[in-house]
């Protein structure tokens, strides 16, 4: 069960990365459809990015979004097993985090880590509630 939660958490961290605390009120509804620009805006609220960093982070998110789209299309076309795709998403999430951390200052890295921890706790709480075990 813990492995499933970890895999789900990593999978959703890339897709819903910048929307853990807010973002439900966007047009179109779902948090899974955040554009790279929306994700940068929310990240900027948490770690205070410079204009140069915003450009670099937008490029990282755009690259990740394109790769995710390609993987979803492969999955929908029946081009791979679920576990292999989840492993790819997990690696992609880790790669995205590595790229982002290379852009951040030491203070921003600390704020980003704290934000990721908040997101993880929120996802775990949501999973427990969906399973009927949380209040």
């Amino acid at each position: 069960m813990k492995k499933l939660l970890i895999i789900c958490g990593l999978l959703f961290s890339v897709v819903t990365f910048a929307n853990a605390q807010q973002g439900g009120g966007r047009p179109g509804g779902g948090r899974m459809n955040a554009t790279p620009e929306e994700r940068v805006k929310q990240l900027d609220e948490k770690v205070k990015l410079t204009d140069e960093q915003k450009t670099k982070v937008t490029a990282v998110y755009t690259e990740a979004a394109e790769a995710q789209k390609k993987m979803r299309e492969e999955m929908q076309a029946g081009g791979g097993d679920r576990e292999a795709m989840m492993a790819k998403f997990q690696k992609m999430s880790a790669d995205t985090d590595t790229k982002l951390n290379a852009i951040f200052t030491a203070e921003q890295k600390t704020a980003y880590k704290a934000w990721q921890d908040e997101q993880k706790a929120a996802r775990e709480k949501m999973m427990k509630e969906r399973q009927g075990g949380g209040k």
Side-chain angles (χ1 to χ4, degrees):
M1 191 62 175
K2 284 184 180 180
K3 284 184 181 180
L4 179 61
L5 284 175
I6 291 171
I7 290 171
C8 287
L10 290 171
L11 174 66
F12 291 120
S13 69
V14 171
V15 180
T16 63
F17 166 69
N19 295 304
Q21 300 297 319
Q22 300 174 6
R26 286 190 2 253
R31 291 188 274 182
M32 306 250 323
N33 297 326
T35 66
E37 292 77 14
E38 291 170 326
R39 295 173 75 189
V40 169
K41 182 179 177 184
Q42 287 200 326
L43 181 61
D44 183 36
E45 292 172 5
K46 298 294 180 181
V47 301
K48 308 297 182 222
L49 299 169
T50 65
D51 288 340
E52 182 181 347
Q53 286 175 320
K54 287 178 188 176
T55 301
K56 292 178 180 179
V57 170
T58 300
V60 170
Y61 281 147
T62 300
E63 179 184 332
E66 290 170 1
Q68 288 172 1
K69 180 180 177 185
K70 181 180 175 187
M71 287 176 60
R72 280 192 302 271
E73 289 170 355
E74 289 175 15
M75 186 74 163
Q76 290 173 349
D81 68 83
R82 185 170 178 82
E83 288 185 27
M85 288 297 191
M86 289 182 78
K88 287 181 183 180
F89 271 113
Q90 210 172 10
K91 183 179 181 333
M92 188 187 322
S93 176
D95 290 347
T96 299
D97 281 346
T98 300
K99 291 175 184 176
L100 291 175
N101 276 301
I103 296 169
F104 298 153
T105 65
E107 286 180 11
Q108 289 171 323
K109 287 178 186 179
T110 302
Y112 178 66
K113 175 71 172 128
W115 189 38
Q116 284 183 310
D117 292 344
E118 288 175 18
Q119 288 181 305
K120 182 179 177 184
R123 280 190 304 274
E124 288 174 356
K125 180 181 176 187
M126 182 178 66
M127 292 294 283
K128 283 182 181 180
E129 289 173 356
R130 284 185 177 175
Q131 293 171 358
K135 285 189 174 184

